[in-house]
Amino acid sequence: MALKAQRRESFTSLHSSYLPVVLLAATSAIWFGLVSQIVTEPYLDEVFHIRQAQAYLARQWHVWDPKITTPPGLYILSLPLLPFYDRSHSNASIPALRALNLLCLTVFLPYQIYRLRRALLRSWGVSKSEVDALHVAASVSLFPPLFFFGALYYTDPWSTFWVLLTVDISGSVGEVEPSGRWVGPATVASGIIALAFRQTNVFWVAVYAGVKEVVRVTKAEEGAGERLTAGQSWFEVYALSWCEKRVYDPLVGEAAFQDYLKAILSLGLNVVHNIVTIIRRVLPHLTLLLLFGLFILINGSVVLGDKSNHTATLHLAQLLYLWPYIAFFSAPLLLPSVLSLLPSRLLHSSLLPLPPSPLAILVPALLAIPTIHFSTQIHPFLRADNRHYPFYIMRYFILSHPLIRYAWAPLYAISSWAVLSSLAIPTPRITAPAKRKVTPRLGAPPSGPTVSDFLAFLLPTVLTLGSAPLVEPRYSILPWVMWRLHVPPCGVRVAAGSRKELAQDREGESWLAKRLIRFWRIRAEGLELVWFVLINAVCGYMFLCRGFEWSSEKGALQRFMW
C-alpha cells in the first residue's frame, strides 16, 4: 500500500509540475491570437520597430529611424525572415515579426530561467529542484509587464533572454564554475548581443555578473574554517577578512543592516588580497564596460535617437517605486511577511519571519522623504500620454495633492522590508512550551540567498532605475526577474531536517496560523500563476476592448498598455 501511494504521489507530482508549462503555452497562444486578429496595424512603438525591421528585410541597410533609441539587435534577429518577406504586402510581415517574441516567451526564455533556477537551487541544497524550476520558468514568462509584449514587436522579451544567457554563460548563478577557454569570449559575445537590444543591459551583463565573479573568487581563495554567521563584531570581520582571508557573507535571513556594511568591508579586504586573480577573472566584464564606454564616447549619449527626451539623469525616486512594484506583482509570495505584521496574539507561528523592528521601518521611511522631495521627476511623456498605466498612478497617487507623495514613505519602507524578507530561507523558530525540553536540530545549516547576492542585485538596479528619467514598468522587468530567481521555494525545505522535526517546531501555534502557513507553503506558487493570469486577462481586455480616441487624432484608436 505504501509503495502504491508513493507511486500515486510521484505520478501526481510529475503531471502537476508540467501544469505551469501548459498554462503558459495556452495563455500565450490565446493572447497572440487575439492581438493578431484585433490589432492588425503596428501600435505605438511598434510603428518605429516594425518599420525599421521592414527596412532591413528590404535590404535597406542605410535606413535608420531617428526616433528609435535602442540598437538594432531586434531587427537583426528578424533577418531569418528575409526569404519570406514580400515588399508588396508589408503588413503580412507583422504577425511573423511579433511571433519572434512569442517564440522567445514560450521557448527560449522559460528554458533559460529553468537552467538558472535549477543551478541556484542545487547550490542551496534544495531537493525537487526540477518542479520548482519549471514553475519559476512559467512564472517569469507570465509576469504581466513581460508577458504583454510577447504578442507585440518590442525589445523586452529578447533583451531579457540575452541578459540571462550571458549571466548563465559566465556562471554568475550557482556554485559550479564554468570551465574552458570559451567562457570568456562567449560571455563577451553574448553580452554584446544583449547590449544590442538595450544599452542599460550593461549594468547586468557587466556589473552584476562582475560582482558575482568577484564574490566567487574571494570565496574560492577563502581560508579554512566554518561559514561566518551574522553577529560578528567589526573588529572580528576586519581581522578574519584581512588576516585569514575569510569572507563575511551571512544569509539574508540572518543579517541586519550593519551586516551589509560589514560584508562590503570584508569583500573589499579580500579583493585586495586577490586583486591579480580577480582582474584576470573579470576581464570579460571589464571588456563589456570598455566597449560600452567607447560607444558612449562615439555616440555622445547612451541612447541612439530622440536624445532630448531620453537623457540620463539622477532619479532616485525610481528606486522607491520598485518595492511596491515587486510587492504588488508578487503579493502571493509575500503573504508570510504581511502576516508577521499582525499582532502575535492573532497569528502566532514559528514559520513566519520575525516582524520588523520599529526602526527598520521608521529609518527607511524618513530617508525616503528627502528622496521624494529632491528626486521626484515627472517626465513630460508621463504627464501627456494617458495610454500608459503609470500616467494614472502618477495622476492619482503622486500629483493629486502636493503632500500626498510623502504619505507613501511608510509604504515604500514596508514593501522594501517585505521584499527583502522574502529572500530568507523559511527556517522554523522553536517556540515550545516552557516545561518541554527542546533539542536543537543538528546538521548543516540551511543555505540560501546571502548578503552578497542582494548587494549584487541592488547595484545594477540602482544604476538602471536611478538614471532613467521616465517611469516605465518595463524598466523594472530585469530587477524583478533577478529577485524572483532568488526567492526560496515556498513549499520545499532545504535539506536540513525532517518533516517530523518541522511538525514539532510548529507545536503551540494558533489554529489559524497553522492553516494559513500550510496553505501558503502548498499553494503560494499556484496562487502566483493565477494572480498573473488574472492581471494579464484584465490588461489584455483593456488593451483589446477598451480603446478610445483623442480629440486631436480623430479616427485613430488609442489603447491602454504598460
Side-chain angles (χ1 to χ4, degrees):
M1 290 295 291
L3 181 60
K4 187 175 181 180
Q6 185 178 4
R7 288 178 177 176
R8 188 186 302 113
E9 181 181 354
S10 176
F11 178 83
T12 304
S13 174
L14 176 65
H15 284 72
S16 62
S17 64
Y18 288 99
L19 287 178
V21 179
V22 174
L23 179 65
L24 170 63
T27 52
S28 300
I30 293 171
W31 174 234
F32 183 81
L34 290 173
V35 172
S36 300
Q37 182 180 1
I38 297 174
V39 189
T40 56
E41 298 289 332
Y43 182 69
L44 210 60
D45 288 0
E46 273 194 320
V47 173
F48 311 116
H49 293 314
I50 289 180
R51 186 166 57 203
Q52 185 62 47
Q54 290 173 342
Y56 278 20
L57 291 173
R59 296 180 173 84
Q60 297 174 355
W61 313 113
H62 62 283
V63 173
W64 182 259
D65 193 324
K67 288 292 183 181
I68 296 176
T69 61
T70 52
L74 183 62
Y75 323 127
I76 296 173
L77 185 71
S78 306
L79 291 180
L81 299 175
L82 189 61
F84 311 100
Y85 179 66
D86 185 355
R87 295 190 190 184
S88 60
H89 298 87
S90 59
N91 280 351
S93 65
I94 295 176
L97 291 172
R98 290 172 171 172
L100 288 175
N101 276 351
L102 178 68
L103 180 66
C104 177
L105 201 70
T106 55
V107 179
F108 287 90
L109 184 60
Y111 176 71
Q112 190 56 61
I113 291 291
Y114 175 81
R115 279 179 52 85
L116 290 172
R117 181 67 171 180
R118 282 201 68 185
L120 196 60
L121 293 181
R122 286 174 174 174
S123 69
W124 294 346
V126 176
S127 61
K128 301 181 181 178
S129 60
E130 296 87 354
V131 175
D132 179 82
L134 283 172
H135 165 84
V136 175
S139 177
V140 169
S141 292
L142 285 170
F143 180 56
L146 186 59
F147 176 83
F148 184 88
F149 296 102
L152 298 173
Y153 192 64
Y154 274 65
T155 60
D156 302 276
W158 283 106
S159 172
T160 304
F161 165 77
W162 282 106
V163 168
L164 295 175
L165 179 62
T166 306
V167 169
D168 188 14
I169 292 174
S170 65
S172 302
V173 172
E175 292 183 347
V176 179
E177 180 182 348
S179 59
R181 296 181 178 179
W182 60 272
V183 174
T187 298
V188 174
S190 180
I192 291 174
I193 296 174
L195 295 179
F197 282 82
R198 181 164 292 168
Q199 298 92 315
T200 53
N201 286 343
V202 70
F203 300 132
W204 296 100
V205 299
V207 177
Y208 174 81
V211 171
K212 297 286 285 187
E213 187 64 30
V214 168
V215 174
R216 195 210 323 262
V217 171
T218 56
K219 288 187 176 181
E221 301 293 332
E222 188 176 14
E226 295 182 357
R227 179 178 66 87
L228 298 181
T229 57
Q232 306 282 339
S233 68
W234 283 95
F235 178 77
E236 289 174 327
V237 171
Y238 173 81
L240 291 171
S241 300
W242 183 251
C243 301
E244 300 184 20
K245 297 184 180 181
R246 303 292 300 281
V247 179
Y248 185 74
D249 190 19
L251 298 173
V252 169
E254 302 173 350
F257 173 74
Q258 60 268 25
D259 292 308
Y260 289 84
L261 302 179
K262 293 174 185 176
I264 294 174
L265 171 65
S266 178
L267 288 171
L269 294 173
N270 278 275
V271 166
V272 174
H273 277 300
N274 304 286
I275 187 65
V276 175
T277 304
I278 287 175
I279 291 177
R280 179 171 54 84
R281 294 284 288 274
V282 300
L283 271 179
H285 312 101
L286 293 176
T287 301
L288 291 172
L289 284 175
L290 289 174
L291 291 175
F292 181 69
L294 183 62
F295 163 77
I296 295 177
L297 185 64
I298 295 174
N299 185 56
S301 173
V302 174
V303 298
L304 287 177
D306 198 16
K307 297 177 182 178
S308 60
N309 289 313
H310 296 85
T311 303
T313 184
L314 187 63
H315 192 184
L316 297 180
Q318 285 257 43
L319 302 174
L320 301 178
Y321 308 148
L322 174 67
W323 312 116
Y325 174 96
I326 295 177
F328 170 76
F329 286 114
S330 298
L333 301 181
L334 304 184
L335 180 62
S337 300
V338 174
L339 294 178
S340 70
L341 296 174
L342 299 176
S344 58
R345 64 178 180 273
L346 296 178
L347 286 174
H348 175 67
S349 173
S350 61
L351 288 177
L352 289 177
L354 288 170
S357 65
L359 285 178
I361 300 299
L362 181 61
V363 173
L366 292 176
L367 292 176
I369 291 176
T371 304
I372 294 169
H373 183 77
F374 293 106
S375 186
T376 298
Q377 299 182 24
I378 309 298
H379 196 279
F381 287 177
L382 200 57
R383 290 181 179 270
D385 197 340
N386 64 344
R387 295 170 295 187
H388 297 282
Y389 296 125
F391 169 88
Y392 299 95
I393 295 174
M394 287 292 172
R395 180 177 180 180
Y396 294 110
F397 296 98
I398 303 295
L399 301 177
S400 59
H401 189 277
L403 296 179
I404 194 171
R405 66 183 65 179
Y406 302 102
W408 300 116
L411 174 66
Y412 300 144
I414 293 173
S415 58
S416 64
W417 169 81
V419 170
L420 181 60
S421 67
S422 67
L423 297 178
I425 286 288
T427 305
R429 305 189 305 274
I430 298 177
T431 55
K435 295 183 179 181
R436 177 172 173 260
K437 183 179 179 181
V438 179
T439 303
R441 188 163 51 239
L442 301 177
S447 185
T450 63
V451 167
S452 68
D453 290 326
F454 184 75
L455 293 174
F457 155 82
L458 190 62
L459 181 56
T461 298
V462 170
L463 294 172
T464 301
L465 299 181
S467 61
L470 185 60
V471 178
E472 277 205 40
R474 293 187 298 150
Y475 295 166
S476 296
I477 288 176
L478 272 172
W480 180 88
V481 170
M482 292 301 184
W483 169 82
R484 183 63 185 91
L485 270 174
H486 287 81
V487 174
C490 298
V492 178
R493 289 285 298 161
V494 173
S498 67
R499 291 178 180 269
K500 182 178 179 181
E501 289 169 326
L502 180 60
Q504 290 174 350
D505 287 341
R506 292 168 60 187
E507 288 183 7
E509 295 176 353
S510 67
W511 178 88
L512 180 59
K514 285 184 177 181
R515 295 300 182 272
L516 287 175
I517 293 300
R518 182 176 183 273
F519 177 80
W520 175 79
R521 289 176 65 84
I522 298 174
R523 305 296 181 188
E525 283 101 350
L527 288 175
E528 180 188 33
L529 291 177
V530 172
W531 178 234
F532 283 172
V533 170
L534 178 62
I535 296 175
N536 288 327
V538 172
C539 294
Y541 169 77
M542 296 296 294
F543 179 72
L544 297 174
C545 305
R546 302 293 292 180
F548 60 96
E549 291 185 2
W550 285 342
S551 58
S552 59
E553 297 184 19
K554 293 291 185 181
L557 191 64
Q558 311 298 334
R559 301 179 184 275
F560 295 105
M561 63 188 302
W562 293 107

